[in-house]
Amino acid sequence: MWLFEVLEANCTGTSVVCIGQFGGGSTESYFGNIFTIGTNYFVRVLNASSGTSTAGFTICVQEFAPSANDECANAVTLTPTLTCNATSGTFSGSSRSTTAPTCASSASQDVWYSFVAPLSTMTVQLTGGNGVNHGFQVYEASCSGTVINCMSQAGTSATEIVNLTNLTVGTTYLIRVFNVNATLTTAANFVVCVYNNALNVAEVALADLRLYPNPVQTELTWTTPVDFNSVYNCQCIRANGTTRGINGGLA
């Protein structure tokens, strides 16, 4: 039976890992992100049985390079689109860059994305796979900004989706995609996107918009070069200074 121990800095340094779980003839391994870059580590391989052994073994150390967007400062930019235009992501080589998300206290890894809001309502969709439980957290304006949403409800290999409302047009929002589980993964197993099908609505120049009569009593008529099926969140100001909202279908 073999086991190994990892010592930090020198041969008598702190023991950071000691692995011996599976018994004779089996492979022992450790996968973790506890190591400090630039520090020397010593691996001590031991024969855990009481007798002397002349058997051989093999040993290796595998490196997982950090993800390019492992830190918020290097967030990958997502372009909001009409429908979900998925960007692939991976947790390989990533760590948890700050405190645990508010909706996933055991989260062990995260990577970062950003988008600029073109509309006040946008949909964020995270589609997982390969047996990993994913979630995401959305920050307003900066890496340390206000958390406006934390989503981790759908479970392993499922899709997390949320409609964000009351966004500020032109403001940058950060999406922190995290591995909900305490166990690390190297799987390249999720896609993320930001979209709103209202981005397909053509812009109407003010000069092409006609509203009448003025002043209006009970019925307002308008003409534009674009056909509208419905109008939402429109405020009309009456002559007396009061407002009336239009929210629903057009006749």
Side-chain angles (χ1 to χ4, degrees), residues 85-135:
N85 184 15
T87 295
S88 298
T90 177
F91 290 120
S92 182
S94 70
S95 58
R96 199 182 76 190
S97 53
T98 184
T99 56
T102 54
C103 58
S105 59
S106 297
S108 56
Q109 295 167 283
D110 56 39
V111 288
W112 295 80
Y113 298 86
S114 69
F115 71 94
V116 177
L119 299 172
S120 60
T121 299
M122 299 301 300
T123 299
V124 178
Q125 180 174 314
L126 173 67
T127 302
N130 295 339
V132 178
N133 189 355
H134 302 77

Side-chain angles (χ1 to χ4, degrees), residues 184-248:
L184 303 182
T185 181
T186 60
N189 59 351
F190 66 84
V191 294
V192 60
C193 61
V194 181
Y195 62 95
N196 186 328
N197 56 21
L199 290 172
N200 192 41
V201 177
E203 181 177 344
V204 178
L206 182 60
D208 295 327
L209 180 64
R210 299 287 185 268
L211 303 174
Y212 58 89
N214 184 19
V216 64
Q217 299 299 319
T218 59
E219 183 174 309
L220 173 68
T221 302
W222 66 47
T223 62
T224 77
V226 176
D227 292 330
F228 290 95
N229 294 321
S230 58
V231 172
Y232 294 92
N233 301 324
C234 177
Q235 289 274 322
C236 296
I237 303 176
R238 295 174 171 143
N240 63 5
T242 61
T243 62
R244 181 175 181 179
I246 301 175
N247 193 7

Side-chain angles (χ1 to χ4, degrees), residues 71-75 98 112 139-145 174:
E71 299 297 333
C72 182
N74 300 318
T98 184
W112 295 80
Y139 295 75
E140 185 175 39
S142 71
C143 300
S144 57
L174 285 304

Side-chain angles (χ1 to χ4, degrees), residues 114-187:
S114 69
F115 71 94
V116 177
L119 299 172
S120 60
T121 299
M122 299 301 300
T123 299
V124 178
Q125 180 174 314
L126 173 67
T127 302
N130 295 339
V132 178
N133 189 355
H134 302 77
F136 64 86
Q137 198 169 27
V138 182
Y139 295 75
E140 185 175 39
S142 71
C143 300
S144 57
T146 301
V147 175
I148 63 171
N149 189 274
C150 192
M151 180 63 63
S152 176
Q153 298 180 357
T156 300
S157 304
T159 295
E160 302 281 359
I161 186 169
V162 67
N163 294 317
L164 301 174
T165 60
N166 298 317
L167 302 180
T168 302
V169 174
T171 294
T172 297
Y173 292 86
L174 285 304
I175 302 173
R176 178 191 185 191
V177 178
F178 51 81
N179 172 11
V180 173
N181 300 324
T183 303
L184 303 182
T185 181
T186 60

